[in-house]
Amino acid sequence: MDQEGENPAADPRIWNRNRNDMTFFGDYDEDDDEDDDEEEEDDRSMDLLIRFVKNVFKKISKRARKVVRSVLPISIPTKLVGFSVNGVIITNFNFVGMES
């Protein structure tokens, strides 16, 4: 028995001990929780960034299609105008990214 009168076998952390690296798995693995929280924050940040870029692209595309539609003849299909405008916008974004 222990000098203080406590039973060391009653401590559950002793029984959860890993023999390979001699560490305890009781309340000592808090670092893993912090890493998971950081990964979740990174995922949320990436989701927000993607959503923001998508919304900006939609606004630019909508305005550009209105301008192009006002200049082109009515006989050109609306879907073809939208496809062309979106292609030009994406191409311009790619060139801007390559210059940096």
Side-chain angles (χ1 to χ4, degrees), residues 30-45:
E30 294 175 6
D31 292 339
D32 293 337
D33 293 338
E34 291 175 9
D35 291 342
D36 291 342
D37 292 341
E38 289 176 8
E39 289 177 11
E40 288 177 12
E41 286 179 19
D42 290 345
D43 291 344
R44 280 186 247 136
S45 297

Side-chain angles (χ1 to χ4, degrees), residues 25-58:
F25 291 112
D27 300 325
Y28 301 107
D29 59 351
E30 294 175 6
D31 292 339
D32 293 337
D33 293 338
E34 291 175 9
D35 291 342
D36 291 342
D37 292 341
E38 289 176 8
E39 289 177 11
E40 288 177 12
E41 286 179 19
D42 290 345
D43 291 344
R44 280 186 247 136
S45 297
M46 186 60 75
D47 289 342
L48 289 173
L49 177 64
I50 291 170
R51 196 178 311 164
F52 173 75
V53 170
K54 186 177 178 180
N55 287 337
V56 168
F57 180 81
K58 282 182 179 181

